[in-house]
Amino acid sequence: KSLVGDPDATYMRTITYKAEDFVPVMALPSQVDKIRNVSEVEGTEIDQVFIGSCTNGRLEDLQAAAEVLKGKKVADFVKLIVTPANCRKRLKNPVTCGTEVYKQAADMGILTTLSEAGAIITHPGCGLCCGRTGGILSDGERVVATNNRNFLGRMGTSKVEIYLASPRTAASCAVAGK
């Protein structure tokens, strides 16, 4: 669908982009606005990849990661953790709500593809991205994550390096180990 302003709207400026000019980017530790092209940090070894949370654990995000991981394996010494999101809409039954994306991903074979690649799949909801459960990192470890924040101490100690990326880029990093 196309987004169009009001017919009488005035604009400060119009910017036109060509999709083919876009390149994958990452937010480097430890600021969400410290953006670099992935090619600028290529080769940086990682310890863990986290795909999920409320930000990038939607069904389409898990599908994108599965497309990258299909028929591949997570690199040795890299842990890949996948946490499906809670649902986007509130349902009367919170148990159903919390498992909606998980169930759809399972029904579509997405979770099977991810687990065959070596992913650890957790229950839906908050956890690693806010430093609560499973996969908390230690001093000097690096993680590529799809959540929305990479502040110091967010996913472990203040000496953890958190790189933020899209689910597709994160999955590619899991396979490459860097």
Side-chain angles (χ1 to χ4, degrees):
K1 295 179 182 178
S2 182
L3 298 175
V4 180
D6 294 337
D8 61 342
T10 58
Y11 301 93
M12 292 178 65
R13 65 182 169 155
T14 300
I15 301 172
T16 304
Y17 297 98
K18 292 182 182 178
E20 61 269 15
D21 292 340
F22 286 119
V23 297
V25 296
M26 290 181 137
L28 276 53
S30 57
Q31 299 167 329
V32 295
D33 59 352
K34 191 175 180 182
I35 305 298
R36 300 290 184 274
N37 290 345
V38 171
S39 62
E40 293 178 42
V41 293
E42 190 173 355
T44 303
E45 292 186 6
I46 59 172
D47 301 289
Q48 186 166 290
V49 172
F50 173 64
I51 298 172
S53 84
C54 58
T55 309
N56 282 300
R58 298 165 300 191
L59 188 62
E60 56 266 32
D61 300 319
L62 301 180
Q63 177 66 47
E67 288 171 6
V68 171
L69 292 166
K70 188 165 184 70
K72 298 181 179 122
K73 293 287 183 191
V74 172
D76 291 340
F77 307 107
V78 172
K79 184 188 304 182
L80 170 59
I81 300 173
V82 176
T83 300
N86 282 328
C87 68
R88 287 174 276 193
K89 59 185 176 200
R90 295 281 178 218
L91 302 177
K92 290 181 183 178
N93 181 345
V95 173
T96 304
C97 182
T99 60
E100 180 181 309
V101 173
Y102 188 100
K103 287 179 73 174
Q104 288 175 343
D107 290 346
M108 294 172 67
I110 294 169
L111 297 184
T112 299
T113 299
L114 296 172
S115 66
E116 286 174 352
I120 299 165
I121 301 175
T122 71
H123 62 281
C126 293
L128 178 57
C129 66
C130 58
R132 289 188 178 167
T133 62
I136 303 301
L137 294 116
S138 299
D139 289 0
E141 288 189 303
R142 288 187 191 112
V143 60
V144 173
T146 65
N147 44 291
N148 60 355
R149 299 286 185 261
N150 63 347
F151 306 139
L152 293 175
R154 178 76 182 201
M155 299 174 81
T157 74
S158 62
K159 295 180 182 170
V160 169
E161 295 179 21
I162 306 169
Y163 294 77
L164 300 180
S166 71
R168 188 172 299 279
T169 299
S172 296
C173 292
V175 171
K178 41 189 153 186

